[in-house]
Amino acid sequence: MTSKSLFVAEIRARLIEMRTLTFFNHAGGVMKSSLTRDVGYTLSQAGLRVLVVDLDPQANLTDWLGVSGVTREQTVYTTATSGDPLPSPTAVHGLHLIPSDVSLALAEGQMMGVVGAHLHLRQALQAVSDQYDVTLIDSPPSLGQLSILGALAADHLIVPVPTRQKGMNALAGLSEAMATYRKLRPDLTVALYVPTLYDARRSHDREAYAALQGMLRPLASPIPDRGAVWNDSASAGQPVGLYAPGSPVHQDVLRATAEIAAASRLEVTIPGGKA
């Protein structure tokens, strides 16, 4: 590397700090994994170096990126339980993925007996912060140890909230969880609440969305409920932008990514996205 290249690299390192965003909600089926996958892919296509971390033992994010045959050693298991460095990631669709497997569930019990375990992932990510511009974490649908691990690793939380009674009911638990996490991380913030599974034809959805507008700040534009393409892309193991480029769902993803990037102060332009 030339002296000029080294100088540029040093300037980049000083000016660009890796952001860590955790997609968080203790309710399941709210689009955490879908958004982690598709926002991550979109950011990588826009030129960012993206790491995605699957903390859910159900491993939907891993499956929906087409990765299989994962061993426990490839997951964050020893990072969570022993504070080890992150395992080598898997390269897939322009992303770097630290995958998950059902065996990661064993970490829940082991973390409880380790002082400081909840900060292990944050510390491990700091060690690779020069390698990535953004890390996206898919947290489990629970308020267990792995969810705490993911929340405390974040600079910001991204909270998907379905425009259903289920989403409204989850808000009290989310508020309590945030109050607890801020005792350890006073700087932890929710960068954006994202209404999901929205169907404007249903009066219930319209009413729920109106209620969210009155309760939550900042609030993104709602993501419409277009289940077929999301489900088919998951079965194909491909992000929507690869599986159905230019589709209405892809346009939804571009808009959501632009809004998340703006709320998280990521220096990136999303082609076709309007924040």
Side-chain angles (χ1 to χ4, degrees), residues 37 44 48 62 69 127 155 181 203 246 253 256:
R37 181 193 67 172
S44 73
L48 296 189
T62 299
D155 296 308
Y181 300 159
S203 60
V253 168

Side-chain angles (χ1 to χ4, degrees), residues 252-270:
D252 296 337
V253 168
L254 293 175
R255 184 185 67 252
T257 303
E259 293 184 8
I260 289 169
S264 307
R265 299 188 298 279
L266 290 173
E267 298 294 330
V268 63
T269 300
I270 306 301

Side-chain angles (χ1 to χ4, degrees), residues 9-264:
E10 289 173 0
I11 292 296
R12 176 185 175 88
R14 287 199 296 267
L15 294 180
I16 300 179
E17 180 181 354
M18 184 184 78
R19 293 274 200 285
T20 299
L21 310 179
T22 295
F23 289 77
F24 183 86
N25 193 320
H26 63 287
V30 301
M31 295 189 64
K32 287 192 303 291
S33 299
S34 297
L35 285 173
T36 305
R37 181 193 67 172
D38 287 284
V39 169
Y41 176 76
T42 304
L43 291 174
S44 73
Q45 292 298 294
L48 296 189
R49 301 168 299 168
V50 181
L51 174 67
V52 291
V53 180
D54 193 348
L55 285 188
D56 187 353
Q58 296 181 65
N60 285 334
L61 174 62
T62 299
D63 292 341
W64 296 351
L65 282 168
V67 175
S68 59
V70 175
T71 64
R72 190 170 72 180
E73 289 71 26
Q74 293 174 276
T75 74
V76 299
Y77 180 86
T78 60
T79 299
T81 59
S82 303
D84 288 352
L86 292 170
S88 297
T90 298
V92 57
H93 302 314
L95 303 167
H96 278 183
L97 166 71
I98 297 180
S100 185
D101 173 73
V102 67
S103 63
L104 183 59
L106 297 173
E108 290 273 357
Q110 295 197 24
M111 287 176 63
M112 295 178 69
V114 180
V115 176
H118 295 140
L119 294 174
H120 282 168
L121 180 56
R122 180 170 177 80
Q123 293 161 352
L125 287 171
Q126 289 171 345
V128 298
S129 61
D130 61 332
Q131 300 175 36
Y132 300 102
D133 300 307
V134 61
T135 293
L136 305 182
I137 299 173
D138 182 23
S139 66
S142 73
L143 291 175
Q145 305 302 305
L146 290 171
S147 293
I148 299 172
L149 183 78
L152 295 185
D155 296 308
H156 305 290
L157 301 182
I158 306 297
V159 181
V161 183
T163 53
R164 313 280 167 82
Q165 191 60 45
K166 174 182 182 178
M168 305 297 291
N169 292 343
L171 293 178
L174 286 169
S175 179
E176 291 177 9
M178 282 298 299
T180 300
Y181 300 159
R182 282 179 175 143
K183 292 177 182 177
L184 294 173
R185 285 281 315 284
D187 58 329
L188 183 63
T189 63
V190 175
L192 198 62
Y193 293 93
V194 184
T196 61
L197 304 174
Y198 180 65
D199 189 338
R201 298 170 300 178
R202 293 193 290 251
S203 60
H204 175 77
D205 285 44
R206 296 194 302 272
E207 292 168 3
Y209 178 50
L212 293 177
Q213 287 179 302
M215 296 168 59
L216 302 178
R217 295 287 188 278
L219 189 69
S221 304
I223 297 178
D225 187 1
R226 310 184 203 267
V229 173
W230 290 106
N231 293 337
D232 291 347
S233 67
S235 297
Q238 296 179 344
V240 164
L242 185 61
Y243 180 81
S247 66
V249 174
H250 186 212
Q251 297 304 314
D252 296 337
V253 168
L254 293 175
R255 184 185 67 252
T257 303
E259 293 184 8
I260 289 169
S264 307

